[in-house]
Amino acid sequence: MLKLLSSSCLQSRTHHLTPSLLPGLRAATESTQPLLRVLNSLRGLSWKNPNFGGRVFFCSDSSDGSEKTAEVEVKTAESEVEEAEAKASSAIVSTNPRLEDYLTVLALPLPHRPLFPGFYMPIYVKDPKLLAALQESRKRQAPYAGAFLLKDEPDSDPNIVSGSEAEKNVYDLKGKELFNRLHEVGTLAQISSIQGDQVTLIGHRRLRITEMVREDPLTVKVDHLKDKPYNKDDDVIKATSFEVISTLRDVLKTSSLWRDHVMTYTQHIGDFTFPRLADFGAAISGGNKLQCQEVLEELDVYKRLKLTLELVKKEMEISKIQESIAKAIEEKISSEQRRYLLNEQLKAIKKELGLETDDKTALTAKFRERIEPKREKCPPHVLQVIDEELTKLQLLEASSSEFNVTRNYLDWLTALPWGDYSDENFDVIRAEKILDEDHYGLTDVKERILEFIAVGKLRGTSQGKIICLSGPPGVGKTSIGRSIARALDRKFFRFSVGGLADVAEIKGHRRTYIGAMPGKMVQCLKSVGTANPLVLIDEIDKLGRGHGGDPASALLELLDPEQNANFLDHYLDVPIDLSKVLFVCTANVVETIPNPLLDRMEVISIAGYITDEKMHIARDYLEKSTREACGIKPEQVEVTDSALLALIENYCREAGVRNLQKHIEKIYRKIALKLVRQGETNEPAVASVHILEPHQSKVEDVESGQDTAERNDNIPESLEISSSEQVSESSVEVNTVQTELPADQTQNPVDESTDLKGANETEEIQESEGTKTVEKVLVDEESLTDFVGKPVFHAERIYDQTPVGVVMGLAWTAMGGSTLYIETTHVEQGEGKAALHLTGQLGEVMKESAQIAHTVARAILLEKEPDNPFLANSKLHLHVPAGATPKDGPSAGCTMITSLLSLAMKKPVKKDLAMTGEVTLTGKILPIGGVKEKTIAARRSDVKTIIFPSANRRDFDELALNVKEGLDVHFVDDYSQIFNLAFSDD
């Protein structure tokens, strides 16, 4: 496209305008008038103007066919010599000879666009002969040539821009071949300047080629063409020209470059005519070269205007497309920038108005957005506090300490689940299934939970309760809480209050303190996100008491069903409804819980597990989870029932199963080490152990550490692992010596030969040509000591038949129940030397029970055997074995009386008899606690007959059938009944 030179381009050239033209050019460049006004003001410059040589013309760049800014070649005033040469080269010669006299001209090919009259164009001339001919023409003061557009190659598309190779071929055209490629109609062009191979041409009038005169350089004969006559006052021509001008004006609104071109052009073009307007529109349009050539060849002014109008209309459409593309790209790129700019302006405006808000506005919006979904459910008094604090936040300076306090306070207030309750599942069958999956036994606990669910289902809603699970460690109190939450579909939260001495942990701190925080209950609600979670308060019997107050008293408000509907946290200082929260507390000993707190709980006692229950738990829960945790497959290990039973009886007698789990984990860790040492992995192929002694076909059972030491020489020290041989189903069970026990097994007093017996005792091995394949590790009762060491407990039953003065009693401990013997012996005898010496680390209550027993025994002996003065004249020593264990409690009173009477009457008590009960001075038997634990302890010691106080009959009846099975239980009110049972002849 032809382009107009801007004023900046004019000033950058080495040839400057004459002084007389500079003011007009500057004024034209600075002007912003519309096109029509500029065109209507065209005056004063005609073809006969003496400053014609200084005119500015438009051109098309011949290098690439795209729009380029035209360069102006004008005179310079740097030196007199240069000024003279410029006048000789750029000024158009006088009309003697006239332009019409040039009928033979050099033919210059234009590869991209035609040259229109009134415009100028720089071209490159590669042919040396043609360039020399042009220079010679200038020296003869005939600086004119014919500029003709080249035709496209026959097979080429004129709309496709040619590459550099095609341009090179154009410059190589010469002679007749070039003549045949030229369009007939061209332009008579003045040779304005020649700089190197660049020739600047200024178009004057249309030419038509008639014939070729010379081939090198190409010279042709031409005819000068004139426009066809037309009527200036023709309305159609005027209307067409006005439409061209109107379209150009619309295009100028979108293209500032066009505007500069037009303004510069209008200062130096001749009088306005319709033909010049048509040439101007076609010259600066974006039409292709064939369309422009068509305008050049058209001599009818009206048709030329119509062709130009088509070109500028097309240009208008292109401008609209360009504008829409630019607008879309601008919107896409600058939307974020615009947003950022507007935000910065908004901040600046608010800062100027004193409405500093950057962070405060964002905080306020965040808090309002957080509370908005809960507004309908939120209590009115809480909403009022939130609104007041939000208003207060706006008035505070962000740098003040009060601002941070208010912000944190609002953060907690808006984060709590006001009125949000999770949906509960009241399906009793599902809950029972979940409880049975997680725990074995514990029937009374499960029944209580199912009752709670049933009540909730009938009411349609559930009220919060406070359940206290009491029992020894390891019976599953904490895990029961998790199972209850899963059965009810409630959120679960646990916190331990063991050793808690600060009331603020429960009730929260005052907001004025540095680092103030709400209490645990508020933190729980924020964490779970619902107002009806299940909260497990662990170790509530181990609450501390320090200078910070009494936490047990602080828990009263939290756990009281009448008060926790309006629980007041010191930090929030607004009532919180905790009535829907289900509290589950755990404790080892109920007696240490303060009575006011205990009064608000529903205590469910978990006595512990008997041997049968422990067997089920170990087999179905503990062993399975431990095996998976150690990465051992079920087919690689077999633990016999006898081994588990021995483990429970001799190593893990506590009421819970935590210690049992530790021992099972210890066994599986040693098995894992053994498997890895033998090359056993979790791969499907089972590795085999190749023993280097091919003639050793069998390893005999090793029964003791001494035998192990004797046979140690027969075991090879090096083992070659071979995975190519597979396991055979036909195998022989043997005990092999493989590895040493870890160093922590120091309780075994046997020498290192016992350790060599190893952690991997009984395995199935295939014998085939000296090869043994390890298939399964067998853990039985005999090999148990090699996994977990020697037994910790021995049989509590010391005597098969208790001797005179010895009686078995039943005791309760924190680890469950146990049996103990009370022994009495005679020290010396003398008149009036009745005395009783006590040993066995007895507590004060138990010492008092011994004194009561001594008094009651003397009275009973006097009644039964009036002639026997043994107790009245004897100094006796009463001892309770396991002296390192502290003992206390009143329930051994009847046992002590029986022991004293047995010694006095020199008669042993009945075989397989155990008893418990507190005795008064009148011989009445009072109830005791721990019936289940004591019954389990009696079964463990193979006791067949048990004596309980009559008041404990209900406790015994509630025991499971498997606990009561095979026992002969007697319930007594007075010691005389015990006397008959203990010393009867049968």
Side-chain angles (χ1 to χ4, degrees):
M1 179 189 293
L2 298 176
K3 284 191 174 179
L4 178 63
L5 177 65
S6 65
S7 59
S8 59
C9 295
L10 292 173
Q11 297 173 3
S12 65
R13 299 293 299 167
T14 57
H15 296 81
H16 298 272
L17 291 172
T18 57
S20 62
L21 294 177
L22 285 175
L25 179 60
R26 187 177 297 112
T29 306
E30 296 174 355
S31 175
T32 59
Q33 298 174 357
L35 176 63
L36 183 57
R37 183 176 178 183
V38 172
L39 293 179
N40 290 336
S41 64
L42 293 178
R43 294 292 185 272
L45 289 177
S46 65
W47 292 107
K48 297 180 181 180
N49 195 308
N51 292 326
F52 182 78
R55 281 194 196 128
V56 180
F57 292 90
F58 294 89
C59 74
S60 63
D61 191 346
S62 63
S63 60
D64 59 0
S66 62
E67 293 185 2
K68 299 292 183 180
T69 305
E71 297 181 312
V72 179
E73 299 295 338
V74 293
K75 295 191 299 179
T76 179
E78 294 179 357
S79 65
E80 293 181 0
V81 178
E82 292 178 356
E83 185 177 359
E85 291 178 356
K87 288 180 180 180
S89 61
S90 62
I92 300 177
V93 294
S94 61
T95 56
N96 186 19
R98 296 177 303 174
L99 293 178
E100 291 82 352
D101 295 338
Y102 291 97
L103 300 178
T104 302
V105 294
L106 293 172
L108 299 179
L110 303 179
H112 299 292
R113 293 179 68 86
L115 175 63
F116 283 88
F119 289 82
Y120 91 101
M121 176 187 295
I123 66 170
Y124 292 92
V125 179
K126 302 295 185 181
D127 188 355
K129 290 185 178 180
L130 180 58
L131 187 61
L134 292 174
Q135 291 174 344
E136 184 66 23
S137 298
R138 291 191 67 202
K139 291 179 181 178
R140 295 201 308 266
Q141 294 188 356
Y144 290 95
F148 301 93
L149 180 66
L150 273 173
K151 297 178 181 177
D152 294 315
E153 295 181 8
D155 298 332
S156 65
D157 187 352
N159 295 322
I160 303 300
V161 178
S162 60
S164 57
E165 292 297 328
E167 294 178 2
K168 188 175 181 181
N169 295 335
V170 169
Y171 294 135
D172 292 340
L173 293 175
K174 294 181 181 179
K176 193 169 184 178
E177 184 181 3
L178 178 60
F179 178 79
N180 293 332
R181 289 282 301 276
L182 295 178
H183 282 277
E184 289 185 1
V185 178
T187 308
L188 179 63
Q190 178 186 356
I191 304 171
S192 174
S193 66
I194 300 176
Q195 294 181 354
D197 59 352
Q198 183 177 7
V199 179
T200 303
L201 305 176
I202 300 177
H204 284 280
R205 56 175 59 183
R206 288 170 169 78
L207 300 176
R208 186 189 300 275
I209 299 175
T210 56
E211 61 178 306
M212 182 174 65
V213 177
R214 188 172 53 188
E215 290 189 6
D216 195 13
L218 180 61
T219 306
V220 296
K221 282 187 177 182
V222 294
D223 287 340
H224 291 251
L225 302 178
K226 292 184 179 181
D227 295 332
K228 294 181 180 179
Y230 65 96
N231 184 6
K232 288 184 179 182
D233 298 327
D234 186 274
D235 292 337
V236 177
I237 293 179
K238 284 183 179 181
T240 306
S241 64
F242 290 157
E243 182 62 24
V244 171
I245 293 174
S246 175
T247 306
L248 288 174
R249 181 190 295 120
D250 293 337
V251 175
L252 288 177
K253 293 179 181 178
T254 61
S255 176
S256 59
L257 181 61
W258 275 42
R259 190 180 304 117
D260 294 339
H261 288 176
V262 172
M263 291 176 181
T264 307
Y265 176 81
T266 55
Q267 293 294 327
H268 305 284
I269 198 67
D271 293 335
F272 171 77
T273 58
F274 295 130
R276 291 187 184 282
L277 177 62
D279 290 343
F280 170 73
I284 66 174
S285 69
N288 60 34
K289 60 183 181 180
L290 294 181
Q291 292 173 326
C292 294
Q293 179 67 26
E294 186 178 358
V295 175
L296 184 66
E297 293 177 356
E298 183 57 58
L299 299 181
D300 188 292
V301 175
Y302 171 65
K303 292 182 179 179
R304 190 190 302 171
L305 280 172
K306 286 185 65 177
L307 292 173
T308 299
L309 182 59
E310 291 179 5
L311 292 179
V312 294
K313 285 289 186 182
K314 183 178 180 181
E315 193 70 24
M316 183 62 202
E317 295 301 321
I318 293 175
S319 297
K320 290 181 179 179
I321 296 174
Q322 172 192 350
E323 184 179 5
S324 63
I325 293 174
K327 185 177 181 181
I329 297 297
E330 181 183 0
E331 288 178 355
K332 184 177 181 181
I333 293 176
S334 65
S335 59
E336 291 299 326
Q337 297 175 347
R338 188 181 302 110
R339 180 189 294 266
Y340 173 77
L341 179 61
L342 292 175
N343 282 332
E344 291 299 317
Q345 291 175 348
L346 181 62
K347 290 179 182 179
I349 292 171
K350 288 186 176 181
K351 190 172 183 180
E352 288 295 326
L353 294 176
L355 303 175
E356 165 70 45
T357 53
D358 304 330
D359 297 333
K360 290 194 292 187
T361 302
L363 279 174
T364 304
K366 183 183 79 170
F367 294 143
R368 292 190 185 279
E369 181 180 355
R370 189 186 289 177
I371 198 62
E372 198 59 36
K374 312 171 189 174
R375 186 168 288 273
E376 294 181 358
K377 302 177 183 178
C378 189
H381 62 275
V382 177
L383 286 176
Q384 182 181 356
V385 172
I386 292 176
D387 292 337
E388 291 174 356
E389 292 297 321
L390 285 172
T391 306
K392 178 181 176 183
L393 188 70
Q394 291 293 331
L395 301 176
L396 292 172
E397 289 294 332
S399 58
S400 66
S401 59
E402 184 70 16
F403 179 84
N404 291 327
V405 173
T406 306
R407 181 187 60 189
N408 292 335
Y409 180 54
L410 280 169
D411 191 19
W412 280 101
L413 267 182
T414 56
L416 292 182
W418 301 105
D420 287 342
Y421 299 99
S422 61
D423 295 331
E424 287 189 278
N425 193 326
F426 294 115
D427 188 349
V428 178
I429 305 300
R430 172 181 173 274
E432 187 174 8
K433 181 179 179 182
I434 290 175
L435 293 174
D436 289 338
E437 284 178 1
D438 295 344
H439 295 87
Y440 181 84
L442 304 179
T443 308
D444 47 353
V445 182
K446 294 178 181 177
E447 282 295 322
R448 178 63 188 88
I449 301 305
L450 295 178
E451 291 169 6
F452 174 82
I453 296 174
V455 172
K457 185 172 184 179
L458 293 177
R459 290 189 55 188
T461 180
S462 63
Q463 283 296 115
K465 292 293 181 181
I466 296 91
I467 298 173
C468 180
L469 302 175
S470 69
V475 296
K477 298 185 296 296
T478 303
S479 60
I480 287 173
R482 295 183 184 274
S483 298
I484 295 172
R486 192 160 73 93
L488 294 172
D489 276 349
R490 286 200 182 203
K491 298 287 186 178
F492 179 79
F493 185 83
R494 171 192 173 272
F495 68 92
S496 176
V497 295
L500 186 68
D502 189 3
V503 175
E505 288 290 325
I506 299 170
K507 297 278 288 181
H509 303 85
R510 297 292 179 185
R511 291 200 302 277
T512 53
Y513 298 154
I514 295 176
M517 288 283 289
K520 282 288 186 182
M521 201 57 230
V522 176
Q523 296 177 34
C524 159
L525 294 179
K526 180 181 178 182
S527 175
V528 300
T530 62
N532 61 337
L534 185 144
V535 178
L536 181 72
I537 304 177
D538 234 344
E539 312 295 349
I540 199 169
D541 60 323
K542 299 176 181 61
L543 276 170
R545 185 165 186 174
H547 65 280
D550 184 11
S553 300
L555 279 174
L556 291 177
E557 183 184 0
L558 180 65
L559 298 180
D560 192 344
E562 301 298 327
Q563 299 181 39
N564 61 13
N566 295 296
F567 177 74
L568 191 65
D569 185 87
H570 289 161
Y571 184 87
L572 294 184
D573 207 24
V574 292
I576 305 172
D577 184 8
L578 301 180
S579 60
K580 299 294 192 296
V581 178
L582 176 59
F583 290 97
V584 177
C585 308
T586 67
N588 295 126
V589 182
V590 178
E591 285 75 14
T592 59
I593 302 176
N595 283 334
L597 191 59
L598 185 63
D599 181 60
R600 288 162 170 82
M601 301 178 185
E602 182 179 349
V603 180
I604 300 177
S605 178
I606 305 177
Y609 302 103
I610 63 175
T611 303
D612 294 342
E613 292 175 337
K614 286 186 178 180
M615 284 287 292
H616 280 96
I617 294 171
R619 184 66 76 189
D620 298 338
Y621 300 91
L622 303 181
E623 186 186 6
K624 180 180 178 182
S625 61
T626 304
R627 184 171 61 239
E628 293 175 355
C630 293
I632 299 175
K633 294 183 177 180
E635 61 268 15
Q636 293 176 300
V637 181
E638 181 182 351
V639 181
T640 63
D641 291 340
S642 61
L644 276 181
L645 183 61
L647 190 67
I648 293 168
E649 293 288 349
N650 300 329
Y651 298 85
C652 312
R653 283 189 181 178
E654 73 283 349
V657 293
R658 185 173 290 131
N659 193 33
L660 177 61
Q661 182 179 9
K662 292 178 182 177
H663 280 75
I664 293 176
E665 289 174 354
K666 188 175 184 179
I667 292 173
Y668 273 90
R669 283 198 305 269
K670 291 184 180 297
I671 292 174
L673 176 61
K674 172 189 182 306
L675 294 176
V676 172
R677 280 181 173 172
Q678 289 187 351
E680 189 79 5
T681 64
N682 287 332
E683 302 296 333
V686 183
S688 61
V689 182
H690 180 69
I691 298 180
L692 298 182
E693 297 182 12
H695 301 294
Q696 182 180 1
S697 60
K698 187 174 183 180
V699 180
E700 297 180 358
D701 291 345
V702 181
E703 296 294 333
S704 65
Q706 183 177 358
D707 294 335
T708 304
E710 292 174 357
R711 297 180 179 273
N712 193 33
D713 296 335
N714 296 330
I715 302 301
E717 295 182 357
S718 61
L719 296 177
E720 177 182 344
I721 305 300
S722 172
S723 60
S724 60
E725 300 174 23
Q726 302 298 323
V727 178
S728 174
E729 294 181 358
S730 60
S731 56
V732 182
E733 287 189 2
V734 297
N735 286 338
T736 61
V737 181
Q738 178 63 30
T739 61
E740 295 184 359
L741 287 175
D744 60 346
Q745 292 250 304
T746 56
Q747 69 269 29
N748 196 341
V750 189
D751 57 88
E752 294 180 358
S753 62
T754 304
D755 291 337
L756 289 175
K757 187 176 178 182
N760 37 336
E761 303 330 290
T762 304
E763 304 162 354
E764 293 184 358
I765 296 177
Q766 176 196 9
E767 295 186 33
S768 174
E769 299 180 357
T771 299
K772 300 182 193 291
T773 304
V774 178
E775 183 185 67
K776 179 179 288 189
V777 178
L778 182 67
V779 181
D780 56 11
E781 188 174 0
E782 288 76 16
S783 62
L784 192 61
T785 55
D786 301 306
F787 288 95
V788 291
K790 64 180 182 179
V792 178
F793 299 102
H794 298 282
E796 291 180 354
R797 189 182 182 92
I798 302 175
Y799 309 102
D800 289 334
Q801 171 62 50
T802 54
V804 173
V806 178
V807 180
M808 179 186 290
L810 299 175
W812 176 92
T813 67
M815 303 294 288
S818 65
T819 58
L820 54 85
Y821 286 94
I822 294 181
E823 303 174 340
T824 308
T825 187
H826 177 253
V827 177
E828 63 177 318
Q829 187 163 0
E831 187 70 26
K833 287 189 175 182
L836 184 65
H837 179 59
L838 305 174
T839 56
Q841 200 172 347
L842 308 181
E844 290 298 326
V845 176
M846 202 164 184
K847 288 179 181 179
E848 293 175 357
S849 294
Q851 295 299 331
I852 295 172
H854 189 231
T855 302
V856 173
R858 290 180 64 177
I860 293 177
L861 183 64
L862 183 62
E863 178 186 348
K864 299 293 182 182
E865 298 182 4
D867 299 332
N868 189 347
F870 180 81
L871 294 179
N873 299 325
S874 300
K875 184 178 180 180
L876 305 177
H877 182 185
L878 189 146
H879 175 67
V880 184
T885 304
K887 310 169 190 69
D888 200 1
S891 63
C894 62
T895 313
M896 291 177 178
I897 294 175
T898 308
S899 175
L900 291 169
L901 291 176
S902 173
L903 180 66
M905 295 186 300
K906 294 182 174 55
K907 186 176 182 179
V909 298
K910 183 180 178 181
K911 186 180 181 181
D912 297 334
L913 174 68
M915 63 187 70
T916 181
E918 181 181 356
V919 182
T920 67
L921 282 174
T922 58
K924 293 295 181 180
I925 307 298
L926 301 182
I928 45 85
V931 172
K932 181 178 181 180
E933 290 84 350
K934 292 178 179 180
T935 306
I936 293 172
R939 289 183 63 87
R940 191 185 304 120
S941 297
D942 291 333
V943 173
K944 305 299 183 183
T945 306
I946 303 177
I947 299 176
F948 281 131
S950 294
N952 292 114
R953 181 187 297 271
R954 180 180 176 183
D955 299 326
F956 183 81
D957 291 340
E958 291 178 353
L959 298 180
L961 293 177
N962 58 349
V963 177
K964 299 184 291 184
E965 184 180 1
L967 294 177
D968 182 16
V969 181
H970 299 272
F971 299 96
V972 297
D973 293 321
D974 191 88
Y975 184 78
S976 59
Q977 297 174 268
I978 299 178
F979 186 88
N980 296 331
L981 291 170
F983 299 108
S984 61
D985 294 336
D986 54 340

